[in-house]
Amino acid sequence: MYPKITIDLDKIKHNIETIKRRCEERDISLMGITKSFCADRNIVKCLEEVGVEYVGDSRLENLEKIESKKLKKVLIRLPMMSEAKRAVEIADITFNTEYETIQKLNEEAEKLQKVHSVLLLVEMGDLREGTAPENMEELLEKVLKLKNIELIGIGANFSCYGGIIPDEEKFLELSELAKRLEEKFKIEFQMISGGNSSSLYLLKKGEFFKINNLRIGEGIVLGRETAFGTKISGCYQDAFILEGEIIEIKEKQSIPRGKLGVNAFGERPRIEDLGVRKRAILALGRQDVEYTDMIPQDKTIRILGASSDHLILDITDSEKKYELGDKVSFILGYGSLTRAMSSNYVYKDFKEEK
Ligand SMILES: *Cc1c(COP(=O)(O)O)cnc(C)c1O
């Protein structure tokens, strides 16, 4: 059944092993981030088999599916007040920046006779979530008094909103803040988490100071670091292959005919006149993928555009003679992967050598 995404578990496992080993060489623990594949059971099993200690996801619905007793479950998006009870029930650790929310987690933990762990995110310039460094002391002062909350550490986000990439300077700043807080409150942080796949490039040569954890999503699934968008050596980029089926092949003019308005998404398309071209339509659309974030494996194919359920391709230059019913395959970027994995209309097929 199509569209179909074929998932090569051996390749994913290899990526996880490779990145985990490189982290461990620098005394850094790995948190496997599962949101891009909705914490799919088979992939989570790979994380567990490789011996990853933490799994992180932004949604409780995903964390809830993880049955493993070995993996520590981390909610990496700040909990909503309305999900505080479920957060304490489902997650071992949550990321936080708001005292009010942590108070609520404390109340819920008390009711459940549990101690809930929190990690506090510091704003380091990327301007998504995070408490300003100068306000951290005040926050810690209050959090440390909560009976059913354990503070396990601090962390930061990079390359999320502002496109600020982590570097040694940022790592030093975060490490020095951690040191100051540890000294002031006479505590020792278990985890100082230094960002996501955009921190991977620093494993080669950078200094991590006190940072002892990285949270990696894209790196393990697509074998890419995200500071510069380069391939990670020794990792696979094609663990996920998406295939769509051709439902129309026709020669058409490149330029639409008639009065120009907007397309189905309110966009005014800019189209180049290449004369008559051979086009194929796949039964696959924006509901299933981010069409600007995928690459045909047949390099001569060009993606022209997409509506909700149709992907339009220019196949004129291909040596392959495509026919109705043929499949066209793509390597996915992170946006497309996330959408394909969460689309109910995309069939998932797991491949494993054993
Ligand atoms: C998504 C996310 C990550 C993982 O990012 P990748 O670029 O996929 O490695 C890490 N931390 C937080 C808080 C996130 O939201």
Side-chain angles (χ1 to χ4, degrees):
M1 299 239 264
Y2 294 88
K4 177 169 86 181
I5 187 163
T6 303
I7 302 157
D8 189 323
L9 294 172
D10 293 318
K11 287 186 176 172
I12 296 172
K13 217 163 151 180
H14 173 88
N15 286 356
I16 301 168
E17 270 165 358
T18 305
I19 293 171
K20 181 168 179 278
R21 179 165 22 86
R22 288 180 195 163
C23 285
E24 279 171 358
E25 282 165 6
R26 309 292 310 268
D27 291 318
I28 287 166
S29 69
L30 175 63
M31 187 184 300
I33 301 300
T34 55
K35 64 192 181 198
S36 69
F37 49 89
C38 310
D40 173 87
R41 243 174 0 102
N42 300 285
I43 305 176
V44 169
K45 206 167 121 228
C46 294
L47 286 164
E48 184 174 4
E49 284 171 5
V50 173
V52 169
E53 193 177 348
Y54 302 96
V55 281
D57 203 296
S58 38
R59 293 166 200 265
L60 287 172
E61 289 74 7
N62 290 345
L63 287 180
E64 197 169 21
K65 292 197 295 199
I66 301 173
E67 286 161 4
S68 164
K69 293 274 171 290
K70 273 189 252 164
L71 293 165
K72 291 200 184 89
K73 295 186 242 178
V74 187
L75 182 66
I76 59 171
R77 181 171 70 184
L78 309 181
M80 296 180 253
M81 287 289 236
S82 61
E83 68 182 359
K85 175 163 182 274
R86 289 176 64 233
V88 171
E89 282 168 351
I90 295 167
D92 299 299
I93 304 167
T94 57
F95 283 8
N96 286 277
T97 63
E98 295 282 3
Y99 179 65
E100 238 182 292
T101 308
I102 304 170
Q103 250 183 327
K104 182 98 169 105
L105 294 168
N106 182 55
E107 275 171 33
E108 296 298 343
E110 192 182 347
K111 283 186 212 156
L112 292 164
Q113 301 186 330
K114 264 189 168 181
V115 173
H116 179 73
S117 297
V118 299
L119 180 139
L120 301 177
L121 287 175
V122 188
E123 161 49 40
M124 301 282 297
D126 194 54
L127 297 181
R128 203 177 72 180
E129 73 276 44
T131 300
E134 61 272 24
N135 297 334
M136 287 296 285
E137 263 189 33
E138 189 193 334
L139 180 60
L140 254 75
E141 183 99 53
K142 293 191 281 189
V143 169
L144 288 169
K145 289 191 181 120
L146 299 173
K147 294 254 173 344
N148 294 70
I149 294 292
E150 183 195 20
L151 176 62
I152 66 152
I154 65 173
N157 259 322
F158 300 99
S159 318
C160 280
Y161 168 73
I164 297 300
I165 59 173
D167 56 14
E168 287 192 342
E169 212 176 301
K170 296 280 183 198
F171 278 2
L172 181 62
E173 203 182 317
L174 184 63
S175 299
E176 284 182 340
L177 174 67
K179 188 157 167 265
R180 274 204 308 281
L181 294 170
E182 285 182 334
E183 281 167 2
K184 157 108 194 179
F185 294 101
K186 304 196 172 48
I187 51 176
E188 202 177 320
F189 292 138
Q190 287 168 46
M191 188 185 285
I192 302 169
S193 188
N196 57 24
S197 297
S198 68
S199 295
L200 285 171
Y201 83 99
L202 288 160
L203 284 175
K204 263 200 202 127
K205 47 186 193 301
E207 177 66 58
F208 279 75
F209 307 99
K210 277 173 76 69
I211 284 158
N212 65 4
N213 174 266
L214 291 180
R215 314 180 299 270
I216 307 299
E218 183 154 348
I220 59 179
V221 287
L222 296 178
R224 290 184 172 279
E225 60 78 35
T226 56
F228 308 102
T230 61
K231 295 176 183 172
I232 301 170
S233 63
C235 284
Y236 294 103
Q237 286 76 43
D238 60 352
F240 297 82
I241 298 290
L242 181 74
E243 290 171 283
E245 182 169 329
I246 300 179
I247 55 174
E248 184 188 282
I249 302 180
K250 287 189 193 306
E251 302 216 325
K252 297 188 187 187
Q253 283 289 346
S254 328
I255 297 287
R257 254 191 343 275
K259 205 162 149 193
L260 187 61
V262 292
N263 69 11
F265 294 85
E267 305 150 351
R268 200 175 286 270
R270 220 173 291 142
I271 295 166
E272 201 186 345
D273 190 0
L274 298 170
V276 173
R277 303 290 289 178
K278 191 169 179 188
R279 291 152 70 123
I281 299 180
L282 301 189
L284 171 73
R286 291 192 184 190
Q287 285 202 58
D288 315 299
V289 285
E290 175 55 65
Y291 75 99
T292 56
D293 189 34
M294 54 199 275
I295 300 169
Q297 287 198 297
D298 177 343
K299 293 278 187 290
T300 63
I301 292 181
R302 229 162 44 97
I303 300 176
L304 296 175
S307 58
S308 300
D309 308 296
H310 298 81
L311 185 73
I312 306 169
L313 306 176
D314 183 329
I315 56 170
T316 317
D317 298 331
S318 182
E319 285 179 2
K320 189 172 165 190
K321 293 285 159 264
Y322 286 97
E323 292 175 21
L324 283 183
D326 279 354
K327 316 299 182 278
V328 178
S329 58
F330 302 87
I331 293 195
L332 304 177
Y334 204 51
S336 266
L337 173 67
T338 304
R339 201 165 311 163
M341 289 304 287
S342 54
S343 169
N344 282 331
Y345 306 107
V346 177
Y347 295 89
K348 315 318 185 267
D349 191 13
F350 293 93
K351 208 165 95 183
E352 194 173 14
E353 304 276 327
K354 253 184 206 165

